[in-house]
Amino acid sequence: MKLTEKLGLAALHRLDPETAHALSIKALKAGLAPAPGPVTSQRLQTKIAGLDLPNPVGLAAGFDKNGEVLGPLSRAGFGFIEVGAVTPRPQPGNPRPRLFRLTEDKAAINRFGFNNEGMEAMARRLAARPRDAVIGLNLGANKDSDDRPGDFAKVLAHCGAHLDFATVNVSSPNTEKLRDLQGKAALSALLSGVIETRNTLMRPLPVFLKIAPDLTEDELRDIAEVAHESGVDAVIASNTTLSRDGLRSAHRDEAGGLSGAPLFEKSTRVLARFSHLTDGQIPLIGVGGISTAEQAYAKICAGASAVQFYTAMVFGGISLAAEIARGLDDLLARDGFETVAQAVGSKRQDWI
Protein backbone atom coordinates (compact mmCIF):
# COMPACT_ATOMS: atom_id res chain seq x y z
CA MET A 1 0.00 0.00 0.00
CA LYS A 2 1.30 3.45 -0.90
CA LEU A 3 2.06 5.93 1.87
CA THR A 4 -0.65 8.31 0.62
CA GLU A 5 -3.24 5.54 0.86
CA LYS A 6 -2.10 4.66 4.39
CA LEU A 7 -2.39 8.28 5.45
CA GLY A 8 -5.80 8.56 3.83
CA LEU A 9 -7.07 5.47 5.64
CA ALA A 10 -5.74 6.74 8.96
CA ALA A 11 -7.62 10.02 8.44
CA LEU A 12 -10.84 8.23 7.48
CA HIS A 13 -10.66 6.07 10.60
CA ARG A 14 -10.92 9.22 12.71
CA LEU A 15 -14.41 9.78 11.30
CA ASP A 16 -17.61 7.85 11.85
CA PRO A 17 -17.74 4.97 9.34
CA GLU A 18 -20.59 6.21 7.15
CA THR A 19 -19.05 9.67 6.77
CA ALA A 20 -15.72 8.02 5.97
CA HIS A 21 -17.38 5.89 3.31
CA ALA A 22 -18.99 8.93 1.67
CA LEU A 23 -15.58 10.64 1.58
CA SER A 24 -13.99 7.57 -0.02
CA ILE A 25 -16.56 7.80 -2.82
CA LYS A 26 -15.70 11.50 -3.26
CA ALA A 27 -11.99 10.64 -3.35
CA LEU A 28 -12.61 8.13 -6.13
CA LYS A 29 -14.60 10.73 -8.09
CA ALA A 30 -11.65 13.10 -7.72
CA GLY A 31 -9.22 10.51 -9.09
CA LEU A 32 -7.45 9.99 -5.75
CA ALA A 33 -7.07 6.23 -6.04
CA PRO A 34 -4.68 3.67 -7.55
CA ALA A 35 -5.57 2.96 -11.18
CA PRO A 36 -3.47 0.03 -12.43
CA GLY A 37 -6.28 -1.12 -14.69
CA PRO A 38 -7.59 -4.69 -14.56
CA VAL A 39 -4.78 -6.95 -13.37
CA THR A 40 -4.60 -9.93 -15.70
CA SER A 41 -2.50 -12.79 -17.03
CA GLN A 42 -3.15 -15.92 -19.00
CA ARG A 43 -3.43 -17.77 -15.70
CA LEU A 44 -5.88 -15.29 -14.14
CA GLN A 45 -8.26 -14.97 -17.08
CA THR A 46 -11.51 -16.56 -15.93
CA LYS A 47 -14.82 -17.51 -17.50
CA ILE A 48 -17.91 -17.76 -15.31
CA ALA A 49 -21.53 -17.96 -16.46
CA GLY A 50 -20.47 -16.84 -19.92
CA LEU A 51 -18.60 -13.79 -18.62
CA ASP A 52 -14.95 -13.28 -19.55
CA LEU A 53 -13.09 -11.83 -16.57
CA PRO A 54 -9.52 -10.48 -16.70
CA ASN A 55 -9.10 -11.90 -13.19
CA PRO A 56 -11.48 -13.59 -10.72
CA VAL A 57 -11.24 -10.92 -7.97
CA GLY A 58 -14.40 -8.83 -7.81
CA LEU A 59 -15.83 -5.99 -5.75
CA ALA A 60 -18.83 -7.07 -3.68
CA ALA A 61 -22.08 -5.11 -3.65
CA GLY A 62 -22.52 -2.40 -1.04
CA PHE A 63 -19.47 -0.23 -1.68
CA ASP A 64 -20.89 1.70 -4.63
CA LYS A 65 -24.60 1.53 -3.83
CA ASN A 66 -25.68 4.04 -6.47
CA GLY A 67 -23.21 3.44 -9.30
CA GLU A 68 -21.40 6.75 -8.71
CA VAL A 69 -17.82 5.65 -9.35
CA LEU A 70 -18.01 2.98 -12.04
CA GLY A 71 -15.10 4.47 -13.99
CA PRO A 72 -12.57 4.68 -11.13
CA LEU A 73 -13.55 1.23 -9.85
CA SER A 74 -13.11 -0.30 -13.30
CA ARG A 75 -9.49 0.91 -13.26
CA ALA A 76 -8.67 -0.19 -9.69
CA GLY A 77 -7.55 -3.74 -10.48
CA PHE A 78 -10.82 -5.66 -10.05
CA GLY A 79 -11.82 -8.34 -12.53
CA PHE A 80 -15.49 -7.45 -12.12
CA ILE A 81 -17.65 -5.05 -10.14
CA GLU A 82 -21.04 -5.43 -8.48
CA VAL A 83 -22.96 -2.28 -7.52
CA GLY A 84 -26.16 -1.76 -5.52
CA ALA A 85 -28.30 -3.04 -3.95
CA VAL A 86 -30.93 -1.00 -5.75
CA THR A 87 -34.70 -0.95 -5.21
CA PRO A 88 -37.41 0.32 -7.57
CA ARG A 89 -38.06 3.48 -5.53
CA PRO A 90 -35.47 5.49 -3.61
CA GLN A 91 -35.45 4.78 0.10
CA PRO A 92 -33.48 6.22 3.04
CA GLY A 93 -32.77 2.92 4.77
CA ASN A 94 -32.56 2.55 8.53
CA PRO A 95 -31.77 5.42 10.92
CA ARG A 96 -28.13 6.35 11.60
CA PRO A 97 -25.87 5.21 13.13
CA ARG A 98 -26.11 2.05 11.03
CA LEU A 99 -22.48 1.23 10.19
CA PHE A 100 -19.92 0.21 12.81
CA ARG A 101 -16.19 -0.36 12.38
CA LEU A 102 -14.87 -3.28 14.48
CA THR A 103 -11.15 -2.52 14.24
CA GLU A 104 -9.95 -5.19 16.68
CA ASP A 105 -11.80 -7.84 14.68
CA LYS A 106 -11.02 -6.43 11.20
CA ALA A 107 -14.78 -6.45 10.65
CA ALA A 108 -17.85 -4.25 10.25
CA ILE A 109 -21.50 -4.44 11.22
CA ASN A 110 -24.08 -2.70 9.06
CA ARG A 111 -27.82 -2.32 9.20
CA PHE A 112 -28.26 0.01 6.23
CA GLY A 113 -31.56 -1.46 5.06
CA PHE A 114 -31.06 -1.01 1.28
CA ASN A 115 -30.55 2.77 1.38
CA ASN A 116 -30.25 3.87 -2.25
CA GLU A 117 -31.38 6.43 -4.82
CA GLY A 118 -33.59 3.98 -6.73
CA MET A 119 -33.48 2.30 -10.11
CA GLU A 120 -34.01 5.48 -12.17
CA ALA A 121 -30.81 7.08 -10.89
CA MET A 122 -28.90 3.80 -11.21
CA ALA A 123 -30.05 3.26 -14.80
CA ARG A 124 -28.85 6.74 -15.81
CA ARG A 125 -25.38 6.08 -14.39
CA LEU A 126 -25.17 2.57 -15.83
CA ALA A 127 -25.99 3.96 -19.28
CA ALA A 128 -22.73 5.93 -19.11
CA ARG A 129 -20.67 3.04 -17.70
CA PRO A 130 -17.25 2.01 -19.01
CA ARG A 131 -17.82 -0.64 -21.68
CA ASP A 132 -14.51 -2.44 -21.12
CA ALA A 133 -15.44 -3.57 -17.58
CA VAL A 134 -17.68 -6.38 -16.30
CA ILE A 135 -20.38 -4.73 -14.18
CA GLY A 136 -23.33 -6.29 -12.38
CA LEU A 137 -26.17 -5.03 -10.24
CA ASN A 138 -27.45 -6.31 -6.91
CA LEU A 139 -31.26 -6.30 -7.08
CA GLY A 140 -33.28 -5.39 -4.00
CA ALA A 141 -36.87 -4.85 -2.85
CA ASN A 142 -38.40 -1.80 -1.19
CA LYS A 143 -39.02 -2.21 2.52
CA ASP A 144 -42.68 -1.13 2.19
CA SER A 145 -43.37 -3.00 -1.04
CA ASP A 146 -46.59 -4.99 -1.45
CA ASP A 147 -44.81 -7.22 -3.96
CA ARG A 148 -41.21 -7.80 -3.00
CA PRO A 149 -40.62 -10.61 -5.53
CA GLY A 150 -41.95 -8.30 -8.24
CA ASP A 151 -39.51 -5.57 -7.18
CA PHE A 152 -36.51 -7.70 -8.16
CA ALA A 153 -37.90 -8.25 -11.66
CA LYS A 154 -38.83 -4.56 -11.96
CA VAL A 155 -35.27 -3.39 -11.24
CA LEU A 156 -33.86 -5.92 -13.69
CA ALA A 157 -36.28 -4.83 -16.44
CA HIS A 158 -35.34 -1.18 -15.91
CA CYS A 159 -31.55 -1.57 -15.66
CA GLY A 160 -30.87 -4.81 -17.53
CA ALA A 161 -29.85 -3.23 -20.84
CA HIS A 162 -26.76 -1.74 -19.19
CA LEU A 163 -25.61 -4.78 -17.20
CA ASP A 164 -23.35 -7.80 -17.62
CA PHE A 165 -25.00 -9.73 -14.76
CA ALA A 166 -27.63 -9.27 -12.05
CA THR A 167 -27.76 -10.67 -8.52
CA VAL A 168 -30.92 -11.57 -6.63
CA ASN A 169 -30.28 -10.51 -3.05
CA VAL A 170 -32.62 -12.28 -0.63
CA SER A 171 -29.96 -12.71 2.02
CA SER A 172 -29.53 -9.26 3.58
CA PRO A 173 -30.48 -9.40 7.28
CA ASN A 174 -31.34 -5.70 7.38
CA THR A 175 -34.74 -5.63 5.66
CA GLU A 176 -37.39 -7.26 7.82
CA LYS A 177 -38.49 -10.70 6.59
CA LEU A 178 -36.35 -10.44 3.43
CA ARG A 179 -34.54 -13.67 4.31
CA ASP A 180 -37.93 -15.40 4.34
CA LEU A 181 -37.63 -15.31 0.55
CA GLN A 182 -34.86 -17.93 0.83
CA GLY A 183 -37.55 -20.53 1.66
CA LYS A 184 -38.02 -23.12 -1.06
CA ALA A 185 -41.46 -22.12 -2.43
CA ALA A 186 -40.91 -18.36 -2.12
CA LEU A 187 -37.46 -18.52 -3.70
CA SER A 188 -38.67 -20.67 -6.58
CA ALA A 189 -41.46 -18.19 -7.39
CA LEU A 190 -39.17 -15.17 -7.08
CA LEU A 191 -36.47 -16.64 -9.32
CA SER A 192 -39.06 -17.68 -11.92
CA GLY A 193 -40.18 -14.06 -12.19
CA VAL A 194 -36.63 -12.75 -12.47
CA ILE A 195 -35.60 -15.37 -15.05
CA GLU A 196 -38.74 -14.62 -17.11
CA THR A 197 -37.84 -10.93 -17.07
CA ARG A 198 -34.22 -11.71 -17.98
CA ASN A 199 -35.44 -13.67 -21.01
CA THR A 200 -37.34 -10.63 -22.34
CA LEU A 201 -34.22 -8.43 -22.42
CA MET A 202 -32.65 -7.56 -25.76
CA ARG A 203 -29.43 -9.08 -24.44
CA PRO A 204 -30.21 -11.77 -21.83
CA LEU A 205 -27.63 -11.80 -19.05
CA PRO A 206 -26.56 -14.18 -16.28
CA VAL A 207 -28.61 -14.13 -13.07
CA PHE A 208 -26.83 -14.87 -9.80
CA LEU A 209 -28.33 -15.70 -6.40
CA LYS A 210 -26.74 -14.43 -3.18
CA ILE A 211 -27.31 -16.59 -0.10
CA ALA A 212 -26.79 -16.15 3.63
CA PRO A 213 -24.09 -17.95 5.64
CA ASP A 214 -26.53 -18.77 8.46
CA LEU A 215 -28.33 -21.62 6.68
CA THR A 216 -28.94 -25.12 8.00
CA GLU A 217 -27.98 -28.16 5.96
CA ASP A 218 -31.64 -28.69 4.98
CA GLU A 219 -32.00 -25.05 3.92
CA LEU A 220 -28.83 -25.27 1.85
CA ARG A 221 -30.13 -28.44 0.22
CA ASP A 222 -33.44 -26.75 -0.63
CA ILE A 223 -31.72 -23.69 -2.11
CA ALA A 224 -29.39 -25.91 -4.14
CA GLU A 225 -32.41 -27.72 -5.56
CA VAL A 226 -34.24 -24.47 -6.41
CA ALA A 227 -31.10 -22.92 -7.92
CA HIS A 228 -30.66 -25.94 -10.17
CA GLU A 229 -34.32 -26.09 -11.22
CA SER A 230 -34.65 -22.36 -11.84
CA GLY A 231 -31.63 -22.11 -14.10
CA VAL A 232 -29.70 -19.63 -11.96
CA ASP A 233 -26.31 -19.05 -13.59
CA ALA A 234 -24.22 -18.80 -10.40
CA VAL A 235 -24.56 -18.58 -6.62
CA ILE A 236 -22.76 -16.05 -4.42
CA ALA A 237 -21.84 -17.48 -1.02
CA SER A 238 -22.23 -15.60 1.12
CA ASN A 239 -23.78 -12.41 2.50
CA THR A 240 -23.20 -11.06 6.02
CA THR A 241 -23.86 -13.13 9.15
CA LEU A 242 -25.95 -12.60 12.27
CA SER A 243 -23.42 -14.56 14.33
CA ARG A 244 -21.26 -12.70 16.86
CA ASP A 245 -18.98 -15.58 17.91
CA GLY A 246 -15.56 -14.57 19.20
CA LEU A 247 -15.81 -10.80 18.63
CA ARG A 248 -13.80 -8.43 20.84
CA SER A 249 -14.75 -4.96 19.61
CA ALA A 250 -16.93 -2.59 21.59
CA HIS A 251 -19.58 -2.59 18.85
CA ARG A 252 -19.87 -6.38 18.74
CA ASP A 253 -23.49 -6.43 19.99
CA GLU A 254 -24.86 -3.94 17.46
CA ALA A 255 -27.74 -5.26 15.36
CA GLY A 256 -27.10 -5.93 11.68
CA GLY A 257 -24.98 -8.06 9.40
CA LEU A 258 -21.38 -8.82 10.29
CA SER A 259 -18.77 -8.80 7.52
CA GLY A 260 -15.00 -9.03 7.41
CA ALA A 261 -12.40 -11.37 8.87
CA PRO A 262 -14.65 -13.29 11.33
CA LEU A 263 -16.85 -14.41 8.43
CA PHE A 264 -14.09 -16.13 6.47
CA GLU A 265 -14.30 -19.66 7.88
CA LYS A 266 -18.09 -19.78 8.15
CA SER A 267 -18.69 -18.50 4.62
CA THR A 268 -16.04 -20.79 3.15
CA ARG A 269 -17.65 -23.83 4.76
CA VAL A 270 -21.06 -22.82 3.34
CA LEU A 271 -19.42 -22.40 -0.06
CA ALA A 272 -17.82 -25.85 0.10
CA ARG A 273 -21.06 -27.48 1.27
CA PHE A 274 -22.99 -25.85 -1.56
CA SER A 275 -20.36 -26.96 -4.06
CA HIS A 276 -20.68 -30.50 -2.70
CA LEU A 277 -24.50 -30.46 -2.80
CA THR A 278 -24.51 -29.32 -6.43
CA ASP A 279 -21.53 -31.50 -7.38
CA GLY A 280 -19.86 -28.39 -8.77
CA GLN A 281 -22.58 -28.02 -11.44
CA ILE A 282 -23.48 -24.43 -10.48
CA PRO A 283 -20.62 -21.91 -10.60
CA LEU A 284 -19.95 -20.27 -7.23
CA ILE A 285 -18.57 -16.88 -6.22
CA GLY A 286 -16.91 -16.89 -2.82
CA VAL A 287 -17.42 -13.89 -0.54
CA GLY A 288 -16.76 -13.31 3.14
CA GLY A 289 -13.64 -12.38 5.05
CA ILE A 290 -11.19 -12.13 2.15
CA SER A 291 -8.30 -9.74 2.76
CA THR A 292 -5.33 -11.63 1.26
CA ALA A 293 -4.45 -13.58 -1.86
CA GLU A 294 -4.16 -16.71 0.30
CA GLN A 295 -7.76 -16.35 1.42
CA ALA A 296 -8.98 -15.74 -2.13
CA TYR A 297 -7.10 -18.86 -3.18
CA ALA A 298 -8.66 -20.86 -0.32
CA LYS A 299 -12.15 -19.89 -1.54
CA ILE A 300 -11.27 -21.04 -5.05
CA CYS A 301 -9.87 -24.33 -3.80
CA ALA A 302 -13.06 -24.79 -1.73
CA GLY A 303 -15.20 -24.50 -4.88
CA ALA A 304 -15.42 -20.87 -6.04
CA SER A 305 -14.78 -19.93 -9.66
CA ALA A 306 -14.41 -16.27 -8.63
CA VAL A 307 -14.36 -14.24 -5.41
CA GLN A 308 -15.48 -10.84 -4.12
CA PHE A 309 -14.48 -8.65 -1.19
CA TYR A 310 -15.38 -5.26 0.27
CA THR A 311 -14.88 -4.89 4.06
CA ALA A 312 -11.14 -5.54 3.80
CA MET A 313 -10.82 -2.23 1.91
CA VAL A 314 -11.83 -0.43 5.11
CA PHE A 315 -8.55 -1.60 6.64
CA GLY A 316 -6.34 -2.23 3.59
CA GLY A 317 -7.46 0.28 0.99
CA ILE A 318 -8.59 -0.13 -2.60
CA SER A 319 -5.08 -1.16 -3.70
CA LEU A 320 -5.94 -4.58 -2.22
CA ALA A 321 -7.73 -5.45 -5.47
CA ALA A 322 -4.54 -5.48 -7.53
CA GLU A 323 -2.51 -6.91 -4.64
CA ILE A 324 -4.84 -9.90 -4.20
CA ALA A 325 -5.05 -10.57 -7.95
CA ARG A 326 -1.25 -10.55 -8.37
CA GLY A 327 -0.79 -12.72 -5.28
CA LEU A 328 -3.37 -15.18 -6.58
CA ASP A 329 -1.46 -15.46 -9.85
CA ASP A 330 1.68 -16.36 -7.88
CA LEU A 331 -0.15 -18.97 -5.78
CA LEU A 332 -1.67 -20.66 -8.81
CA ALA A 333 1.77 -20.78 -10.45
CA ARG A 334 3.35 -22.16 -7.27
CA ASP A 335 0.92 -25.09 -7.23
CA GLY A 336 1.24 -25.83 -10.93
CA PHE A 337 -2.17 -24.58 -12.07
CA GLU A 338 -2.27 -23.07 -15.54
CA THR A 339 -5.76 -21.63 -15.05
CA VAL A 340 -8.06 -20.66 -12.19
CA ALA A 341 -10.52 -23.32 -13.35
CA GLN A 342 -7.98 -26.08 -12.65
CA ALA A 343 -7.83 -25.05 -8.97
CA VAL A 344 -11.59 -24.77 -8.40
CA GLY A 345 -12.70 -27.26 -5.75
CA SER A 346 -9.28 -28.91 -5.50
CA LYS A 347 -9.45 -28.82 -1.68
CA ARG A 348 -13.22 -28.78 -1.18
CA GLN A 349 -13.13 -31.77 1.16
CA ASP A 350 -10.93 -29.82 3.59
CA TRP A 351 -13.85 -27.46 4.24
CA ILE A 352 -16.74 -29.93 4.51
Side-chain angles (χ1 to χ4, degrees), residues 10-96:
L12 290 175
H13 281 209
R14 293 176 178 272
L15 305 172
D16 81 87
E18 192 162 352
T19 300
H21 180 262
L23 283 175
S24 71
I25 296 290
K26 286 183 178 179
L28 282 168
K29 285 181 178 178
L32 303 176
V39 174
T40 193
S41 70
Q42 211 165 3
R43 190 177 285 106
L44 287 175
Q45 288 171 9
T46 301
K47 197 175 188 74
I48 181 169
L51 300 173
D52 291 311
L53 311 178
N55 72 63
V57 181
L59 175 65
F63 179 79
D64 188 5
K65 287 179 176 293
N66 295 301
E68 297 177 85
V69 284
L70 296 169
L73 288 175
S74 72
R75 298 186 291 272
F78 294 103
F80 62 110
I81 297 157
E82 186 175 342
V83 296
V86 163
T87 54
R89 290 174 284 107
Q91 64 181 24
N94 296 320
R96 295 177 69 163

Side-chain angles (χ1 to χ4, degrees), residues 8-313:
L9 283 174
L12 290 175
H13 281 209
R14 293 176 178 272
L15 305 172
D16 81 87
E18 192 162 352
T19 300
H21 180 262
L23 283 175
S24 71
I25 296 290
K26 286 183 178 179
L28 282 168
K29 285 181 178 178
L32 303 176
V39 174
T40 193
S41 70
Q42 211 165 3
R43 190 177 285 106
L44 287 175
Q45 288 171 9
T46 301
K47 197 175 188 74
I48 181 169
L51 300 173
D52 291 311
L53 311 178
N55 72 63
V57 181
L59 175 65
F63 179 79
D64 188 5
K65 287 179 176 293
N66 295 301
E68 297 177 85
V69 284
L70 296 169
L73 288 175
S74 72
R75 298 186 291 272
F78 294 103
F80 62 110
I81 297 157
E82 186 175 342
V83 296
V86 163
T87 54
R89 290 174 284 107
Q91 64 181 24
N94 296 320
R96 295 177 69 163
R98 54 193 179 180
L99 177 62
F100 305 90
R101 192 187 297 119
L102 281 66
T103 303
E104 296 90 337
D105 300 298
K106 292 288 190 288
I109 292 173
N110 90 80
R111 50 173 181 261
F112 281 120
F114 284 173
N115 59 309
N116 73 100
E117 296 174 9
M119 66 185 187
E120 299 281 352
M122 178 61 84
R124 285 195 300 272
R125 291 176 182 136
L126 285 168
R129 53 161 282 185
R131 294 292 155 185
D132 57 350
V134 176
I135 297 173
L137 178 63
N138 193 281
L139 313 175
N142 282 115
K143 182 178 181 178
D144 61 354
S145 175
D146 293 327
D147 179 17
R148 284 186 179 172
D151 279 9
F152 292 89
K154 192 180 291 185
V155 176
L156 177 58
H158 196 75
C159 298
H162 313 299
L163 298 173
D164 298 304
F165 68 92
T167 298
V168 175
N169 183 2
V170 292
S171 51
S172 169
N174 300 317
T175 297
E176 188 179 358
K177 296 186 177 179
L178 183 72
R179 284 190 173 187
D180 292 353
L181 293 174
Q182 290 181 127
K184 193 172 182 181
L187 184 60
S188 182
L190 185 157
L191 289 175
S192 289
V194 171
I195 297 290
E196 272 182 36
T197 300
R198 184 271 303 274
N199 292 341
T200 67
L201 297 175
M202 290 284 289
R203 184 175 60 91
L205 47 82
V207 170
F208 300 166
L209 171 65
K210 190 166 189 174
I211 64 173
D214 306 315
L215 297 164
T216 66
E217 182 73 11
D218 286 344
E219 288 169 333
L220 267 181
R221 198 178 301 277
D222 284 348
I223 290 174
E225 188 177 324
V226 172
H228 180 73
E229 290 173 353
S230 68
V232 159
D233 297 282
V235 168
I236 301 177
S238 64
N239 212 320
T240 57
T241 181
L242 294 171
S243 171
R244 297 293 186 266
D245 292 346
L247 298 182
R248 297 173 295 145
S249 302
H251 294 300
R252 61 185 176 274
D253 295 322
E254 292 288 347
L258 172 73
S259 60
L263 185 55
F264 176 75
E265 186 168 331
K266 184 172 195 169
S267 61
T268 308
R269 292 193 186 284
V270 167
L271 168 77
R273 287 300 305 159
F274 202 90
S275 176
H276 174 73
L277 288 169
T278 58
D279 196 26
Q281 295 303 301
I282 298 177
L284 302 179
I285 297 171
V287 195
I290 294 172
S291 63
T292 66
E294 287 77 12
Q295 289 170 323
Y297 187 45
K299 296 271 191 192
I300 289 167
C301 293
S305 295
V307 298
Q308 292 175 316
F309 75 98
Y310 164 16
T311 301
M313 293 197 303

Side-chain angles (χ1 to χ4, degrees), residues 310-327:
Y310 164 16
T311 301
M313 293 197 303
V314 173
F315 305 102
I318 199 168
S319 62
L320 270 178
E323 184 182 312
I324 290 174
R326 292 187 184 111

